[in-house]
Amino acid sequence: MKNSVEIKNLKKTYAAQKKSPAKEALKDITLDIPRGSIFGLLGPNGAGKSTIINIMAGLVVKSSGSVKIWDEDIDTSPRNSRAAIGIVPQEINFDPFFTPRQILDIQGGLYGVPKPERRTAELLEMVELTDKAEAHTRSLSGGMKRRLMVAKALVHTPPILVLDEPTAGVDVELRQMLWQNVKKLNQDGVTVVLTTHYLEEAEELCDKIAIINHGEIVANEEKETLLARIDAKEIRFRFQNVVTEIPAALEKFNAVKEGRRTIAMRYSPADQCVEEIIGVLQTLNNPIADISTDESDLEDIFLQITRN
Protein backbone atom coordinates (compact mmCIF):
# COMPACT_ATOMS: atom_id res chain seq x y z
CA MET A 1 0.00 0.00 0.00
CA LYS A 2 1.34 3.43 -0.90
CA ASN A 3 1.63 6.11 1.74
CA SER A 4 -0.10 9.47 1.72
CA VAL A 5 2.50 10.98 4.06
CA GLU A 6 6.11 9.86 4.55
CA ILE A 7 8.12 11.47 7.36
CA LYS A 8 11.79 10.51 7.72
CA ASN A 9 14.13 11.49 10.58
CA LEU A 10 12.20 14.70 11.22
CA LYS A 11 13.68 17.01 13.85
CA LYS A 12 12.64 20.41 15.10
CA THR A 13 14.40 22.54 17.70
CA TYR A 14 12.94 25.89 18.68
CA ALA A 15 15.64 28.47 19.36
CA ALA A 16 16.20 29.88 22.82
CA GLN A 17 14.27 33.07 23.58
CA LYS A 18 15.20 35.42 26.42
CA LYS A 19 14.86 33.30 29.56
CA SER A 20 13.55 30.22 27.74
CA PRO A 21 16.18 27.67 26.68
CA ALA A 22 16.16 25.97 23.29
CA LYS A 23 13.45 23.29 23.06
CA GLU A 24 13.77 20.09 21.05
CA ALA A 25 10.16 19.59 19.98
CA LEU A 26 10.71 16.64 17.59
CA LYS A 27 13.44 14.04 18.02
CA ASP A 28 14.10 12.03 14.86
CA ILE A 29 10.48 11.27 13.94
CA THR A 30 9.88 8.64 11.25
CA LEU A 31 6.25 8.01 10.34
CA ASP A 32 4.31 6.60 7.37
CA ILE A 33 0.58 7.26 6.95
CA PRO A 34 -1.08 4.77 4.55
CA ARG A 35 -3.35 6.04 1.80
CA GLY A 36 -7.04 5.59 2.47
CA SER A 37 -6.62 5.21 6.23
CA ILE A 38 -7.94 7.13 9.21
CA PHE A 39 -4.72 7.70 11.10
CA GLY A 40 -4.69 8.84 14.71
CA LEU A 41 -1.83 10.93 16.09
CA LEU A 42 -2.16 11.01 19.85
CA GLY A 43 -0.09 12.45 22.66
CA PRO A 44 -0.18 14.71 25.73
CA ASN A 45 -0.11 18.49 25.43
CA GLY A 46 3.28 19.65 24.20
CA ALA A 47 4.23 16.22 22.84
CA GLY A 48 4.84 17.52 19.29
CA LYS A 49 1.59 16.75 17.44
CA SER A 50 0.90 20.31 16.32
CA THR A 51 4.54 20.82 15.35
CA ILE A 52 4.31 17.91 12.90
CA ILE A 53 1.08 19.29 11.41
CA ASN A 54 2.48 22.81 11.14
CA ILE A 55 5.57 21.52 9.34
CA MET A 56 3.31 19.65 6.88
CA ALA A 57 1.32 22.85 6.35
CA GLY A 58 4.43 24.95 5.79
CA LEU A 59 3.83 27.08 8.89
CA VAL A 60 6.90 25.82 10.76
CA VAL A 61 10.36 25.26 9.28
CA LYS A 62 11.85 21.89 10.24
CA SER A 63 15.40 21.64 11.56
CA SER A 64 16.23 18.50 9.57
CA GLY A 65 14.70 15.41 7.99
CA SER A 66 12.26 15.03 5.11
CA VAL A 67 8.50 15.13 4.64
CA LYS A 68 6.63 13.90 1.56
CA ILE A 69 2.92 14.57 1.09
CA TRP A 70 1.25 12.57 -1.67
CA ASP A 71 4.72 11.84 -3.13
CA GLU A 72 5.61 15.56 -3.16
CA ASP A 73 8.55 16.74 -1.03
CA ILE A 74 7.69 19.83 1.02
CA ASP A 75 11.13 21.35 0.25
CA THR A 76 11.42 20.74 -3.49
CA SER A 77 7.70 20.92 -4.30
CA PRO A 78 6.08 23.12 -1.65
CA ARG A 79 3.14 24.23 -3.79
CA ASN A 80 2.03 20.73 -4.81
CA SER A 81 2.61 19.22 -1.38
CA ARG A 82 0.48 21.86 0.34
CA ALA A 83 -2.24 21.53 -2.28
CA ALA A 84 -2.54 17.83 -1.36
CA ILE A 85 -3.72 18.53 2.18
CA GLY A 86 -6.58 20.35 3.80
CA ILE A 87 -6.07 21.29 7.43
CA VAL A 88 -8.74 21.98 10.03
CA PRO A 89 -6.88 23.80 12.83
CA GLN A 90 -7.95 24.03 16.46
CA GLU A 91 -8.61 27.76 16.18
CA ILE A 92 -11.50 29.31 14.26
CA ASN A 93 -9.92 31.46 11.54
CA PHE A 94 -12.22 33.30 9.18
CA ASP A 95 -13.67 36.79 8.81
CA PRO A 96 -16.78 37.04 11.02
CA PHE A 97 -18.44 39.48 8.59
CA PHE A 98 -18.35 37.11 5.61
CA THR A 99 -21.03 34.52 4.92
CA PRO A 100 -20.23 30.79 4.72
CA ARG A 101 -20.80 30.91 0.96
CA GLN A 102 -18.39 33.83 0.55
CA ILE A 103 -15.76 32.16 2.74
CA LEU A 104 -15.82 28.94 0.72
CA ASP A 105 -15.76 30.83 -2.60
CA ILE A 106 -12.80 32.95 -1.49
CA GLN A 107 -10.92 29.91 -0.21
CA GLY A 108 -11.54 28.11 -3.50
CA GLY A 109 -10.19 31.13 -5.36
CA LEU A 110 -7.06 31.19 -3.21
CA TYR A 111 -6.41 27.58 -4.20
CA GLY A 112 -6.94 28.41 -7.87
CA VAL A 113 -10.17 26.44 -8.24
CA PRO A 114 -12.06 27.83 -11.29
CA LYS A 115 -15.54 29.13 -10.51
CA PRO A 116 -17.37 26.40 -12.48
CA GLU A 117 -15.49 23.73 -10.49
CA ARG A 118 -16.09 25.13 -7.01
CA ARG A 119 -18.05 22.84 -4.68
CA THR A 120 -19.48 25.50 -2.40
CA ALA A 121 -23.10 24.32 -2.42
CA GLU A 122 -22.07 20.67 -2.11
CA LEU A 123 -19.80 21.37 0.86
CA LEU A 124 -22.40 23.51 2.64
CA GLU A 125 -24.88 20.66 2.26
CA MET A 126 -22.34 18.12 3.54
CA VAL A 127 -21.82 20.05 6.79
CA GLU A 128 -25.52 20.94 7.02
CA LEU A 129 -25.09 24.70 6.66
CA THR A 130 -27.14 25.27 3.50
CA ASP A 131 -29.76 27.24 5.44
CA LYS A 132 -26.98 29.45 6.87
CA ALA A 133 -25.21 30.06 3.54
CA GLU A 134 -26.03 33.81 3.54
CA ALA A 135 -25.73 34.48 7.28
CA HIS A 136 -22.76 36.35 8.71
CA THR A 137 -20.46 33.82 10.31
CA ARG A 138 -20.34 35.87 13.51
CA SER A 139 -23.95 34.79 14.07
CA LEU A 140 -23.18 31.06 13.81
CA SER A 141 -22.94 28.84 16.86
CA GLY A 142 -19.60 27.37 17.86
CA GLY A 143 -20.58 24.01 16.39
CA MET A 144 -21.59 25.56 13.07
CA LYS A 145 -18.27 27.40 12.87
CA ARG A 146 -16.43 24.14 13.50
CA ARG A 147 -18.35 22.46 10.65
CA LEU A 148 -17.61 25.41 8.36
CA MET A 149 -13.90 24.93 9.11
CA VAL A 150 -14.14 21.36 7.82
CA ALA A 151 -15.84 22.55 4.61
CA LYS A 152 -13.20 25.26 4.18
CA ALA A 153 -10.43 22.65 4.31
CA LEU A 154 -12.09 20.67 1.51
CA VAL A 155 -12.63 23.40 -1.12
CA HIS A 156 -9.72 22.19 -3.27
CA THR A 157 -10.67 18.48 -2.94
CA PRO A 158 -7.45 17.43 -1.20
CA PRO A 159 -6.66 13.70 -0.96
CA ILE A 160 -5.55 14.21 2.67
CA LEU A 161 -7.57 15.89 5.42
CA VAL A 162 -5.85 16.79 8.69
CA LEU A 163 -8.10 17.38 11.68
CA ASP A 164 -6.34 18.99 14.65
CA GLU A 165 -8.56 18.46 17.71
CA PRO A 166 -11.73 18.81 15.58
CA THR A 167 -14.23 18.22 18.38
CA ALA A 168 -12.56 20.17 21.19
CA GLY A 169 -15.24 21.97 23.16
CA VAL A 170 -18.22 20.77 21.09
CA ASP A 171 -21.27 18.92 22.31
CA VAL A 172 -21.91 15.20 21.93
CA GLU A 173 -24.43 15.60 19.09
CA LEU A 174 -22.03 17.67 16.98
CA ARG A 175 -19.20 15.26 17.72
CA GLN A 176 -21.30 12.39 16.39
CA MET A 177 -22.11 14.40 13.25
CA LEU A 178 -18.43 15.16 12.63
CA TRP A 179 -17.59 11.48 13.11
CA GLN A 180 -20.14 10.59 10.43
CA ASN A 181 -18.65 13.18 8.05
CA VAL A 182 -15.14 11.83 8.64
CA LYS A 183 -16.25 8.25 7.96
CA LYS A 184 -18.06 9.29 4.78
CA LEU A 185 -15.03 11.23 3.49
CA ASN A 186 -12.81 8.25 4.19
CA GLN A 187 -15.19 5.93 2.34
CA ASP A 188 -14.89 8.30 -0.62
CA GLY A 189 -11.11 7.80 -0.60
CA VAL A 190 -9.85 10.69 1.54
CA THR A 191 -6.97 9.90 3.91
CA VAL A 192 -7.77 11.39 7.31
CA VAL A 193 -5.14 12.34 9.89
CA LEU A 194 -6.70 12.97 13.29
CA THR A 195 -5.19 14.46 16.45
CA THR A 196 -7.47 14.33 19.44
CA HIS A 197 -7.58 14.32 23.23
CA TYR A 198 -10.77 12.27 23.15
CA LEU A 199 -9.43 8.72 23.19
CA GLU A 200 -12.87 7.23 22.51
CA GLU A 201 -12.85 9.28 19.30
CA ALA A 202 -9.61 7.67 18.13
CA GLU A 203 -10.86 4.25 19.18
CA GLU A 204 -14.09 4.76 17.23
CA LEU A 205 -12.59 6.17 14.03
CA CYS A 206 -8.96 5.19 13.50
CA ASP A 207 -7.46 2.25 11.62
CA LYS A 208 -3.91 2.94 12.79
CA ILE A 209 -2.63 4.97 15.73
CA ALA A 210 0.72 6.56 16.56
CA ILE A 211 1.43 7.90 20.03
CA ILE A 212 3.98 10.68 20.42
CA ASN A 213 5.49 11.63 23.78
CA HIS A 214 8.27 14.15 24.49
CA GLY A 215 8.87 14.55 20.75
CA GLU A 216 9.34 10.82 20.07
CA ILE A 217 7.08 8.16 18.55
CA VAL A 218 6.52 5.63 21.34
CA ALA A 219 3.92 3.49 19.54
CA ASN A 220 2.82 3.14 15.92
CA GLU A 221 0.52 0.19 15.28
CA GLU A 222 -2.81 -0.99 13.95
CA LYS A 223 -5.54 -0.10 16.43
CA GLU A 224 -6.35 -3.73 17.23
CA THR A 225 -2.67 -4.53 17.83
CA LEU A 226 -2.36 -1.56 20.14
CA LEU A 227 -5.46 -2.51 22.10
CA ALA A 228 -4.10 -6.03 22.53
CA ARG A 229 -1.03 -4.71 24.33
CA ILE A 230 -2.74 -4.96 27.69
CA ASP A 231 -4.13 -8.46 28.02
CA ALA A 232 -6.22 -7.67 31.06
CA LYS A 233 -9.83 -7.48 32.06
CA GLU A 234 -11.50 -5.95 35.07
CA ILE A 235 -14.24 -8.05 36.62
CA ARG A 236 -16.73 -7.15 39.34
CA PHE A 237 -18.81 -9.47 41.48
CA ARG A 238 -21.80 -8.09 43.38
CA PHE A 239 -23.09 -10.30 46.16
CA GLN A 240 -26.51 -10.62 47.72
CA ASN A 241 -25.15 -9.99 51.21
CA VAL A 242 -22.50 -7.71 52.72
CA VAL A 243 -18.92 -8.84 52.07
CA THR A 244 -16.93 -8.84 55.31
CA GLU A 245 -13.52 -9.89 53.94
CA ILE A 246 -11.68 -10.72 50.72
CA PRO A 247 -10.34 -14.30 50.52
CA ALA A 248 -6.55 -14.50 50.71
CA ALA A 249 -6.54 -16.61 47.53
CA LEU A 250 -7.62 -13.51 45.56
CA GLU A 251 -4.58 -11.41 46.55
CA LYS A 252 -2.81 -12.26 43.26
CA PHE A 253 -5.72 -10.64 41.40
CA ASN A 254 -5.36 -7.35 43.37
CA ALA A 255 -8.92 -7.77 44.57
CA VAL A 256 -10.50 -4.77 46.29
CA LYS A 257 -13.86 -4.08 47.90
CA GLU A 258 -16.09 -1.51 46.22
CA GLY A 259 -18.88 -0.54 48.54
CA ARG A 260 -20.33 -3.08 50.93
CA ARG A 261 -21.31 -5.86 48.52
CA THR A 262 -18.88 -5.72 45.55
CA ILE A 263 -15.43 -7.18 44.92
CA ALA A 264 -13.45 -5.95 41.88
CA MET A 265 -10.23 -7.37 40.45
CA ARG A 266 -8.08 -7.54 37.29
CA TYR A 267 -7.04 -10.74 35.58
CA SER A 268 -5.38 -11.91 32.38
CA PRO A 269 -7.56 -14.25 30.28
CA ALA A 270 -4.35 -15.79 28.88
CA ASP A 271 -3.05 -16.71 32.34
CA GLN A 272 -6.08 -17.10 34.60
CA CYS A 273 -9.48 -18.68 34.29
CA VAL A 274 -12.62 -16.98 35.58
CA GLU A 275 -13.71 -20.37 36.87
CA GLU A 276 -10.79 -20.25 39.34
CA ILE A 277 -11.97 -16.88 40.66
CA ILE A 278 -15.57 -18.04 40.99
CA GLY A 279 -14.43 -21.19 42.79
CA VAL A 280 -12.68 -19.09 45.43
CA LEU A 281 -15.65 -16.74 45.81
CA GLN A 282 -18.01 -19.65 46.39
CA THR A 283 -16.16 -20.37 49.64
CA LEU A 284 -17.68 -17.16 51.01
CA ASN A 285 -21.11 -18.81 51.10
CA ASN A 286 -22.50 -15.50 49.82
CA PRO A 287 -24.56 -15.88 46.60
CA ILE A 288 -23.31 -13.86 43.59
CA ALA A 289 -26.03 -11.44 42.47
CA ASP A 290 -24.32 -10.01 39.38
CA ILE A 291 -21.08 -10.16 37.34
CA SER A 292 -19.74 -7.40 35.04
CA THR A 293 -16.49 -7.09 33.08
CA ASP A 294 -14.55 -4.24 31.44
CA GLU A 295 -11.89 -4.80 28.80
CA SER A 296 -8.86 -2.54 28.45
CA ASP A 297 -9.45 0.41 26.14
CA LEU A 298 -7.25 2.91 24.37
CA GLU A 299 -7.13 5.11 27.47
CA ASP A 300 -5.41 2.34 29.43
CA ILE A 301 -2.80 1.92 26.69
CA PHE A 302 -2.27 5.68 26.36
CA LEU A 303 -1.73 6.19 30.07
CA GLN A 304 0.61 3.22 30.31
CA ILE A 305 2.78 4.44 27.42
CA THR A 306 2.87 8.17 28.27
CA ARG A 307 3.14 7.92 32.06
CA ASN A 308 6.93 8.34 32.14
Side-chain angles (χ1 to χ4, degrees):
M1 179 185 293
K2 296 189 70 174
N3 296 314
S4 60
V5 178
E6 294 181 353
I7 298 172
K8 306 290 185 189
N9 307 117
L10 183 63
K11 296 182 181 180
K12 174 60 184 177
T13 300
Y14 289 100
Q17 291 184 344
K18 297 181 180 179
K19 295 182 180 180
S20 300
K23 176 177 173 56
E24 191 178 17
L26 299 178
K27 307 171 184 177
D28 202 30
I29 297 287
T30 294
L31 192 64
D32 291 334
I33 299 176
R35 292 192 182 186
S37 66
I38 302 181
F39 190 94
L41 184 60
L42 310 182
N45 286 332
K49 304 185 301 294
S50 293
T51 300
I52 292 175
I53 289 173
N54 288 334
I55 289 172
M56 291 169 58
L59 300 176
V60 169
V61 178
K62 59 185 171 59
S63 299
S64 63
S66 67
V67 178
K68 281 187 175 181
I69 301 173
W70 215 253
D71 291 333
E72 302 283 355
D73 189 281
I74 64 170
D75 291 330
T76 59
S77 186
R79 184 182 180 93
N80 289 340
S81 64
R82 291 171 196 171
I85 58 173
I87 295 182
V88 181
Q90 295 182 41
E91 301 81 16
I92 304 295
N93 60 359
F94 41 64
D95 191 313
F97 295 97
F98 284 2
T99 68
R101 189 184 303 281
Q102 289 171 330
I103 285 171
L104 297 186
D105 277 340
I106 291 169
Q107 188 76 357
L110 291 173
Y111 272 98
V113 181
K115 279 189 177 182
E117 297 176 20
R118 291 178 193 170
R119 304 164 53 214
T120 300
E122 175 190 339
L123 291 171
L124 287 171
E125 183 177 357
M126 185 195 80
V127 297
E128 299 187 13
L129 287 177
T130 301
D131 60 335
K132 298 289 184 180
E134 310 304 335
H136 287 151
T137 52
R138 68 178 185 275
S139 69
L140 301 182
S141 68
M144 290 177 181
K145 291 175 182 176
R146 184 70 62 183
R147 277 145 52 193
L148 181 57
M149 292 290 292
V150 174
K152 185 181 173 186
L154 294 170
V155 293
H156 57 300
T157 318
I160 304 166
L161 179 65
V162 179
L163 302 167
D164 192 5
E165 301 286 351
T167 58
V170 303
D171 60 41
V172 175
E173 186 176 357
L174 174 61
R175 190 180 305 168
Q176 293 286 345
M177 182 187 297
L178 285 171
W179 286 7
Q180 292 171 8
N181 283 342
V182 167
K183 289 178 180 177
K184 176 65 168 60
L185 287 166
N186 182 247
Q187 289 168 1
D188 292 341
V190 177
T191 300
V192 179
V193 181
L194 172 72
T195 78
T196 179
H197 280 100
Y198 297 108
L199 296 179
E200 75 274 14
E201 187 165 70
E203 195 165 346
E204 167 76 20
L205 295 174
C206 297
D207 309 313
K208 194 172 182 180
I209 293 172
I211 297 177
I212 184 171
N213 196 29
H214 302 305
E216 298 178 285
I217 298 293
V218 292
N220 181 16
E221 299 170 356
E222 300 291 330
K223 178 178 64 180
E224 288 74 16
T225 305
L226 194 60
L227 290 173
R229 277 200 182 198
I230 297 182
D231 180 26
K233 283 190 175 183
E234 191 168 273
I235 189 166
R236 287 178 174 79
F237 295 89
R238 184 165 56 83
F239 297 87
Q240 290 186 7
N241 304 312
V242 174
V243 176
T244 56
E245 62 178 353
I246 297 175
L250 294 180
E251 287 182 3
K252 65 180 178 180
F253 299 106
N254 298 313
V256 295
K257 283 182 63 177
E258 291 186 351
R260 302 176 64 204
R261 297 192 297 144
T262 300
I263 294 178
M265 65 201 82
R266 295 184 73 83
Y267 75 101
S268 169
D271 300 325
Q272 286 103 17
C273 179
V274 177
E275 188 177 1
E276 176 189 353
I277 299 173
I278 293 176
V280 173
L281 292 175
Q282 285 176 337
T283 64
L284 295 175
N285 294 317
N286 188 349
I288 297 172
D290 186 38
I291 301 175
S292 61
T293 62
D294 289 319
E295 294 191 31
S296 299
D297 59 14
L298 187 57
E299 185 171 3
D300 297 317
I301 314 291
F302 181 84
L303 292 173
Q304 174 182 286
I305 291 174
T306 61
R307 196 165 281 148
N308 56 9

